[in-house]
Structures are given as C-alpha cells and as structure tokens.
Amino acid sequence: MAETHSAAPAGLPVKAGKGGSRPRSKGWTGALPLLAFVGLAFGIPTVALLGGAFTSDGSLSTANLTESLQGAYLTALLGSVKLSAVVAIAGAVVGTFLAQAVVTSRFRALREAVLTASGVLANFGGVPLAFAWTATLGNSGVLTRQLHLGDHGWSLYSFWGLALVYLYFSVPLMVLVVVPALDGLRPQWREAAQNNGANAWQFWRYVGIPVLAPSLLGGVVLLFGGAFAAYATAAAMVGTVVPLVTLQIADALTGNVLIGHENVALALSLDMIVVAGLVMAVYLPLQRRSARWLR
C-alpha cells in the first residue's frame, strides 16, 4: 500500500514539535519589559497600599477602612464623586457640541486652531490654573470687580466655582476624544436617512448617537477620572472649603489635622480605586453594547 505524504508549499520550511505538534510562539517575550514596568510601577505600590490599608496597630484589621467611610472622610469621598459626575456630564455635553461645530465648519484654520488649543488646555492644570482663575474671577479678580459679581453672591471658592475651573481642562479633553469619532460619521448615512424620510433628530437618535456612544461613554469616564483624581488645583484654590477625598488624603499623610493617620490615607486611596472600578464596571458593558453598531 502506497504511503501518502502531505506536501508543503515550496519554499516554506516545515518544523514539527514533539508528536508532530506546531511549536509555540514566543512572541510574548517581547512584552516582558512592559510587564516588568507595570509590576514595578503599579504592583509594588498596590501591595504597599493594601498592606497599609488593612494594618492597624501592627495587626491586620479593617479599622482604617471603617474610619475612611465615616464622618468627614465619607463627606469628602461623596463630594469628590459628586464633583466628578457634574464635571464629566457637563464637560461631555459642552465638548460634544463644540466638537460637532468644529467638524461641520468649512474653515480648516478654525478646526486646526481649536484642536491645537484643546491639546494645550487639556494639559493645563495645577497651581497655574488656580492662579489664573483666582486672578480673573476670585474675590479680587479682574472680572469680579468690573462686573460686580460679588454683589450677586458669586464665589469662585465654592463647589460650583471649582467645577467651572475643572471644566476649563475637561471640555478641551472631550473635544479631542469626540472629534475623531465625529469624523467617522459617513455622509452617506445621513443621506440614506434623509432619503427614507428621517429628520435631523431621528438621524441622531437612531444612527448618530448609537455610533458615537462608545466614544461618548469613554469621554465621560475619562473626564470623571480626571476630576476625581485632581489635587493641585483644588488644594491651591479652595483648600478645605470644598471637601474632597484627595485633599483628605494629603492631610492624613502630612498630619495636618491628626497625627498617625497615614494608614487611613491609604484606606481612602483604596476607596478611590473601588469607586473607579465601579465606574469602569458600569462603563464596559455599555461600551460593548454600543460597539455593536460599529460592526
């Protein structure tokens, strides 16, 4: 009986592993430097954070976590969540409308100018941003005195004042996120919708918004995270006037209020990680569902 041989394409070497199985790819070894960096930059701090958060008086305990969810600490955590939610939603709405105006504009110079400015302003924060707004709309700011805003109860050093300052870098960031997605909306889709009798609202309701949903949701999460983790601007501008969890962590670490509460600060940091995880847990299923429109 004649033997049958499987012919391989000419010019391609055939290598067989043990038992005729194909050798495993070792391409994952190229990711070792990245994995090492992630382990050093994130793994070690995470282990230290968990160890300190669950340590009290030299023994394992949940006392720090319990304290971090009571009194002023809980107020600060809820204040940060509220501020971040307001900034994320308002920044997403304003940034999306601004991005739409830029994309539909016929002036290329305007588009380039807005995108360039957005790239700069999205990274403008910290003490310089706080100083700029204080000099402009603070109690003795230029616009505050010229427009007599103080007579109408205006105060920059408040919850809404801080939210306004955070929008200064959140709106440009949303523009950078949404513009590429808006560029992906094909004109043929709008024409097809109009040919089928759909008006502008129906186009956005059934075509535009579902297609943009992944980018919009991603922008909201990005803005929420940026506002939730911001520290320097709030510390330089409002201090303890607006309760924020990042300010509470700094006070606990430096002992400005109470001494020996470093582990409580680590517990507060763990609370922030949990909040961020919950936000991502809500975002990912919505993102997968919305991404079906792009397939």
Side-chain angles (χ1 to χ4, degrees), residues 221 275-285:
V221 173
V275 171
L278 292 175
V279 173
M280 292 300 299
V282 174
Y283 160 70
L284 290 177

Side-chain angles (χ1 to χ4, degrees), residues 121 124-135 165-166 168-169 233 237:
L121 297 178
F124 183 56
V127 176
L129 179 62
F131 172 77
W133 278 87
T134 301
V165 174
Y166 278 13
Y168 187 80
F169 59 81
T233 302
M237 195 176 74

Side-chain angles (χ1 to χ4, degrees), residues 107-135:
F107 301 98
R108 184 173 182 83
L110 175 62
R111 174 191 174 100
E112 295 178 353
V114 172
L115 292 181
T116 302
S118 297
V120 175
L121 297 178
N123 295 282
F124 183 56
V127 176
L129 179 62
F131 172 77
W133 278 87
T134 301

